[in-house]
Amino acid sequence: MGTKDTIYEGLFNYGITRRDFMKFCTTMSATLALSSTSIPKIAEALQQKKKPYAVWLHFQECTGDTESLLRATKPSIAQIVLDIISLEYHETIMAGSGHSAEKALHDVVKNQKGKYFALVEGSIPTKDGGIYCVIAGKTAVEIAKEVCGNALVTINVGSCSCWGGIGSAKPNPTGATGTASVVPGIKYINLPGCPANAENITATIVHYLTFGTLPALDRYNRPLFAYGKRIHDNCERRPHFDAGQFVRKWGDEGHRLGWCLYEMGCKGPMAYQNCPTVKWNDGISYPIQSGHPCFACASNDSWDVFGPIYNRAPHVPGASYQATADKIGAAVVAGTAAAVATHAVIRTFLGYKQKERFSKEKNEADKMK
Ligand code: SF4
């Protein structure tokens, strides 16, 4: 793949019109939570800067992040951007294999040292000399050190490469961990999720191309534009939470009416990501909208801390809508004991009120038949 053309030219060759290109720049500006004055800057960068080199590494994972990237039959412009950047190595989608594939990777590391993006999918096993993930005779630890250690920036795509993901859940048999703990000192950004959202990957790259820096990060190295807001505060089921209207059984009336999924294990009150606004599948839906509880997939150690998926969380942190993730983390620790006791009382009361509502709504529905 060549690098002489720009992302704009690549989009143009894909049949994307100037109008659609400007719409894309506007969407990126909104996704990145930037002011409208950034739109011409984004457009200028994508028109003038050469496509960046990038390599995509696979370690211990299910390829869900790649699936997330390739999922749509009609790809969004964000996906096309990822398609047309000079992605020189990606084991799942590249045509080459064996020695030619390895050569492509090593050529980028050698010839583009300090200039390429390393996108990493999957956790890195560290136990027993790292033998649980070996590619072309090298362990994942060795590959990460070589490739991420020489990259401009490492983008950890999905929870596994950020901090180990499901592979690191107790008892973590392979000693799975994230890229940054294996290659300390690298410049990196975490885009956790199970899987990560393609729109957030694209926005991160667009931000780097436009401003030459990573976007503002939280203490987990996650971009604030994507992980700065609580899912619970943007959830369309929130009015039902506030009204004490909960789904209590799969397929019950509350489920059919779109009520709150907290009792079914939703961890939205503790989870931070832009799922309710960006969504998946070209903005069609996301798990909660589709009737499934959030399991805080973008949180560190979500499997051990927030699991099992369908167990109700013991409490809801009483944080204000604008509170940051860090403040809530502190509030959770301080408020747990009191909140559990309070919630038990509220739950009993709300359960009673909920029964009343169910029967009232059922009577009204019966009258309409
Ligand atoms: S608990 Fe879950 S479903 Fe209910 S309002 Fe919060 S995020 Fe939405």
Side-chain angles (χ1 to χ4, degrees):
M1 286 175 263
T3 56
K4 286 192 178 151
D5 47 351
T6 64
I7 284 181
Y8 177 70
E9 285 164 342
L11 288 171
F12 185 74
N13 291 338
Y14 246 96
I16 303 297
T17 63
R18 173 84 191 163
R19 187 188 181 86
D20 286 337
F21 171 70
M22 290 311 296
K23 262 200 231 166
F24 168 71
C25 295
T26 306
T27 305
M28 283 292 106
S29 170
T31 304
L32 288 162
L34 299 172
S35 72
S36 57
T37 56
S38 67
I39 298 169
K41 283 186 197 157
I42 292 172
E44 193 184 338
L46 297 185
Q47 284 175 106
Q48 294 186 355
K49 294 194 180 163
K50 287 179 183 175
K51 291 188 290 185
Y53 277 93
V55 294
W56 185 297
L57 303 177
H58 284 278
F59 295 134
Q60 287 189 143
E61 38 82 23
C62 65
T63 316
D65 299 295
T66 293
E67 291 287 344
S68 167
L69 192 64
L70 303 173
R71 73 207 182 275
T73 47
K74 178 185 159 294
S76 65
I77 296 181
Q79 289 168 286
I80 294 170
V81 166
L82 290 173
D83 196 27
I84 62 177
I85 60 173
S86 291
L87 195 54
E88 300 290 312
Y89 182 86
H90 188 304
E91 288 157 20
T92 310
I93 57 175
M94 68 193 301
S97 61
H99 292 297
S100 66
E102 290 308 303
K103 185 176 180 309
L105 177 62
H106 296 135
D107 281 353
V108 173
V109 173
K110 190 171 146 209
N111 302 328
Q112 303 299 327
K113 189 172 176 176
K115 296 184 197 157
Y116 62 90
F117 290 100
L119 295 106
V120 184
E121 180 175 1
S123 63
I124 300 175
T126 56
K127 265 191 195 160
D128 302 323
I131 59 164
Y132 302 109
C133 184
V134 176
I135 302 159
K138 286 187 183 166
T139 64
V141 174
E142 291 170 322
I143 297 169
K145 281 184 177 166
E146 184 189 356
V147 178
C148 300
N150 287 299
L152 169 67
V153 63
T154 294
I155 302 175
N156 290 319
V157 180
S159 297
C160 295
S161 57
C162 294
W163 31 68
I166 192 167
S168 66
K170 285 175 188 158
N172 192 358
T174 66
T177 188
T179 313
S181 57
V182 168
V183 199
I186 53 170
K187 188 194 276 189
Y188 72 99
I189 184 168
N190 285 334
L191 301 179
C194 201
N197 193 314
E199 311 287 327
N200 291 337
I201 306 170
T202 313
T204 298
I205 293 174
V206 165
H207 189 284
Y208 210 100
L209 291 177
T210 306
F211 302 105
T213 59
L214 288 172
L217 305 174
D218 69 9
R219 63 174 169 158
Y220 299 110
N221 264 46
R222 304 179 301 185
L224 286 168
F225 77 78
Y227 301 89
K229 296 217 169 96
R230 196 165 62 144
I231 286 181
H232 190 57
D233 296 332
N234 288 302
C235 177
E236 64 277 8
R237 295 178 190 243
R238 176 62 184 265
H240 297 294
F241 176 91
D242 292 338
Q245 296 173 318
F246 297 106
V247 177
R248 294 190 185 270
K249 206 172 153 200
W250 299 120
D252 69 9
E253 285 187 74
H255 201 206
R256 288 198 291 279
L257 290 166
W259 286 7
C260 172
L261 296 158
Y262 176 69
E263 292 287 333
M264 305 306 287
C266 186
K267 311 299 186 302
M270 285 75 85
Y272 288 78
Q273 201 175 174
N274 54 1
C275 306
T277 48
V278 173
K279 304 187 181 181
W280 262 262
N281 297 325
D282 295 335
I284 290 173
S285 186
Y286 73 109
I288 289 176
Q289 190 178 342
S290 304
H292 190 278
C294 162
F295 65 97
C297 67
S299 304
N300 194 348
D301 292 333
S302 63
W303 298 97
D304 293 333
V305 175
F306 295 112
I309 291 175
Y310 299 109
N311 279 19
R312 182 177 62 82
H315 69 284
V316 173
S320 69
Y321 295 172
Q322 284 77 29
T324 65
D326 293 359
K327 278 183 194 157
I328 283 177
V332 170
V333 174
T336 301
V340 169
T342 308
H343 183 76
V345 175
I346 292 172
R347 229 184 125 207
T348 309
F349 173 72
L350 292 178
Y352 170 73
K353 297 302 280 178
Q354 185 180 30
K355 267 189 199 159
E356 275 189 345
R357 278 194 197 96
F358 266 147
S359 79
K360 197 174 162 205
E361 283 184 16
K362 189 166 183 308
N363 288 341
E364 278 166 9
D366 286 346
K367 275 187 212 160
M368 289 169 74
K369 277 181 192 167

